Amino acid sequence: MRKISVLLSLIFSFYCFSQNKEILYNFTPQPQSLLTNPGADVKYKWFVGVPLLSGISANVGSTGFDAYSLFANNGVDFTTKVKNAVAATNSKDYVTANQQLEIFTAGFRVGGPESKFYVSFGMYQELDSFIYIPTDLAILALYGNKDYMGKSFDLGDLSVKAELLSVFHVGFNKQMNEKLILGARGKIYSSIFNGTSTHNSGYFVTTQGENLIYDQSIYSNLELNTSGVSKYLNENYDGDIAGDMREDVTKRAFLGGNLGLGLDLGLTYYPKRNIQLTASLVDIGFVSHSKDVESFTFKGTYNFKGVITDFNSAGTVGDAYDDFKKAIPFDTLYHKYTTWRPLKFYSSFQYSFEEERQTECNCATDEDSWYRSAVGGQLFIMSTPKEPMLALTGYYRRRILRGLQMKATYTIDSYSASNIGLGLTTKIGIVNFYALADNLLEYRDVSKANALIFQIGFNIISGGSNK
């Protein structure tokens, strides 16, 4: 029981902070846009992020319910709120979270100011989590099976991924000709903590026979893989969990954890000077877990007949429970396993207008100075354990002042059909500050929001579109 409690605490503690960065994507005044498309059309001579402050982002979202429905101080009993939330969801609803913190980042043009080749590199910490709402299991836990004769409760509803890791990366960006820019980014992942349970299956069904006898069948194929948390699950562990975790995070973040490799690919293409197409694949990668691994399985088949109150008509409740434990044992295993990073696909179309005079700008270093405004659309797709996550975004970009640009977005996704976002970036001298926020209409009462996204940061930039 202690192991289950600790695991739940670790996994659900991740849900305090969706992965779509629709405002940052193709917002090229920001060097951080290279993390969403290594083939972005950037014009900086060089940039350096302020350590620990260049990129701070947190995204959280849920479909089917919001925090207000569970925690509102409205006199409704919490159990009733939980039942209402379960009734409003299905097995395709989910809660997802992503948090990133850039430790350091930098980039520079290789071969002089006229070079078409750009290199960027850095390190960031990322927390990633995704859980599908286990609707059938929640109904079974809340109501039991008495009123659900003949219903097959799907144990495969249980699907969860949670990971804390650091990422070391280096990217290469080259303008191949006047129309095409290509980019790639290599990554080394160092996993700090991981919990994955995504390929589950099974069922629990009860049917009514004669003379109040019930036929009940359980088939369970459940498995939870973990790495980096075994000592906290040990029944004899009595250390300082907060202090020990800080030590583990520090040690494993710098390539001391379970390692993996990744790749990002991207491009920008101009069929005409004022028409732009982009696309990128982010996190084509995996992590191999071999250190501090521990897996928990609940596998087997059990069939029995009996009255519900006695569980098994052939013996006592205790006898039935012993039979059940033998038929579907709870085992602990120690084996290697591999997890795949959530793969993200971005693409965009942009039309630029309000052409400026060449005398107003240094066009050798500033592509946006050709056009004051632009409109466009974006598509985002992310892999999940079940079905891909999709989002469509329309946006408007404008250079407001010489050192101030904005991007306004409207996004339709599984969380909301009224997601309005705004990004602002300013550059004074060589100092750059940016702030991006999504779902602005929900900030009147964030507890009622199904998704929230923000990102802020400071950089030092030489050249670029805010010069």
Side-chain angles (χ1 to χ4, degrees):
M1 189 65 184
R2 180 182 182 277
K3 290 187 176 184
I4 295 175
S5 299
V6 173
L7 280 171
L8 290 175
S9 298
L10 287 172
I11 290 173
F12 286 100
S13 67
F14 289 172
Y15 295 106
C16 56
F17 289 105
S18 71
Q19 287 218 43
N20 182 14
K21 297 185 176 181
E22 65 266 28
I23 306 176
L24 182 63
Y25 182 76
N26 205 35
F27 198 21
T28 51
Q30 285 310 126
Q32 283 70 25
S33 65
L34 285 166
L35 292 177
T36 60
N37 181 6
D41 188 1
V42 296
K43 301 297 182 182
Y44 332 111
K45 295 178 182 177
W46 56 263
F47 75 90
V48 177
V50 177
L52 301 179
L53 294 176
S54 59
I56 303 171
S57 69
N59 310 352
V60 62
S62 67
T63 63
F65 67 96
D66 52 42
Y68 182 84
S69 62
L70 289 177
F71 303 109
N73 185 17
N74 54 9
V76 179
D77 181 72
F78 182 74
T79 301
T80 302
K81 293 177 183 178
V82 173
K83 290 181 178 180
N84 292 338
V86 170
T89 62
N90 58 56
S91 59
K92 294 183 179 181
D93 286 311
Y94 49 79
V95 178
T96 181
N98 177 263
Q99 170 269 328
Q100 284 189 0
L101 173 65
E102 280 191 332
I103 309 301
F104 65 87
T105 186
F108 57 91
R109 194 167 297 279
V110 179
E114 302 302 320
S115 172
K116 306 298 183 180
F117 187 61
Y118 203 85
V119 175
S120 60
F121 58 92
M123 172 191 177
Y124 62 88
Q125 166 268 319
E126 182 170 8
L127 184 153
D128 230 352
S129 59
F130 196 104
I131 180 171
Y132 276 97
I133 306 300
T135 308
D136 271 11
L137 293 177
I139 291 173
L140 186 60
L142 287 170
Y143 302 103
N145 60 344
K146 180 180 178 181
D147 297 325
Y148 293 90
M149 294 296 107
K151 175 179 171 56
S152 180
F153 292 93
D154 187 0
L155 304 186
D157 278 0
L158 182 62
S159 183
V160 59
K161 295 175 65 175
E163 184 159 39
L164 178 65
L165 74 167
S166 62
V167 183
F168 295 82
H169 61 89
V170 56
F172 305 93
N173 175 295
K174 185 174 182 180
Q175 184 170 347
M176 310 302 292
N177 52 50
E178 291 184 355
K179 292 187 174 183
L180 180 64
I181 301 168
L182 297 178
R185 181 173 304 280
K187 295 180 174 180
I188 298 176
Y189 306 111
S190 182
S191 176
I192 300 168
F193 302 112
N194 175 268
T196 301
S197 182
T198 56
H199 296 96
N200 297 309
S201 61
Y203 59 84
F204 172 65
V205 60
T206 302
T207 57
Q208 187 168 0
E210 298 178 354
N211 301 320
L212 297 178
I213 300 299
Y214 296 89
D215 296 323
Q216 305 196 50
S217 298
I218 301 175
Y219 165 66
S220 177
N221 183 31
L222 304 180
E223 182 170 354
L224 171 63
N225 296 314
T226 72
S227 68
V229 297
S230 63
K231 76 177 180 182
Y232 305 106
L233 304 179
N234 191 310
E235 298 289 345
N236 298 319
Y237 173 75
D238 60 355
D240 176 12
I241 189 169
D244 288 347
M245 280 191 172
R246 283 195 298 268
E247 182 180 343
D248 287 339
V249 168
T250 302
K251 179 176 64 177
R252 297 170 186 170
F254 292 90
L255 303 180
N258 288 291
L259 301 181
L261 296 175
L263 178 67
D264 300 345
L265 299 172
L267 63 85
T268 299
Y269 178 68
Y270 291 93
K272 294 184 179 180
R273 191 176 66 177
N274 68 327
I275 295 178
Q276 179 200 69
L277 303 173
T278 74
S280 68
L281 283 169
V282 178
D283 278 331
I284 311 169
F286 68 93
V287 176
S288 178
H289 300 269
S290 59
K291 303 175 183 177
D292 195 21
V293 293
E294 194 169 19
S295 298
F296 306 96
T297 64
F298 194 55
K299 298 183 178 182
T301 302
Y302 187 43
N303 299 297
F304 58 92
K305 296 177 180 290
V307 294
I308 292 180
T309 53
D310 291 331
F311 194 69
N312 187 334
S313 61
T316 66
V317 173
D319 292 336
Y321 184 58
D322 288 339
D323 292 343
F324 175 79
K325 288 193 298 181
K326 292 176 182 178
I328 308 180
F330 181 76
D331 288 332
T332 302
L333 306 175
Y334 306 91
H335 59 76
K336 300 178 182 179
Y337 66 96
T338 299
T339 56
W340 292 90
R341 298 291 296 145
L343 177 63
K344 278 85 70 178
F345 170 76
Y346 291 92
S347 65
S348 71
F349 168 86
Q350 179 174 287
Y351 172 77
S352 301
F353 56 97
E354 288 190 293
E355 185 173 2
E356 295 182 341
R357 295 180 181 180
Q358 186 171 349
T359 55
E360 294 181 1
C361 67
N362 180 0
C363 296
T365 60
D366 188 349
E367 87 283 12
D368 287 329
S369 59
W370 284 99
Y371 299 97
R372 187 175 297 274
S373 299
V375 294
Q378 297 172 189
L379 170 66
F380 171 77
I381 305 174
M382 188 182 82
S383 65
T384 78
K386 292 185 180 180
E387 298 179 351
M389 178 191 298
L390 304 175
L392 287 173
T393 298
Y395 68 87
Y396 171 64
R397 282 181 58 179
R398 182 169 180 82
R399 178 173 174 173
I400 302 172
L401 300 171
R402 189 176 181 87
L404 179 63
Q405 293 198 41
M406 61 82 71
K407 180 179 179 181
T409 61
Y410 174 77
T411 299
I412 299 175
D413 55 24
S414 54
Y415 304 113
S416 170
S418 58
N419 180 350
I420 295 176
L422 179 64
L424 294 172
T425 177
T426 182
K427 183 168 175 283
I428 303 174
I430 62 172
V431 179
N432 159 248
F433 170 74
Y434 68 99
L436 320 174
D438 217 339
N439 265 296
L440 296 179
L441 298 179
E442 303 296 342
Y443 278 80
R444 293 168 297 184
D445 186 351
V446 296
S447 67
K448 296 182 179 180
N450 286 95
L452 291 173
I453 302 173
F454 77 88
Q455 183 167 0
I456 59 174
F458 294 86
N459 298 286
I460 306 299
I461 300 177
S462 176
S465 55
N466 278 327
K467 185 174 179 179

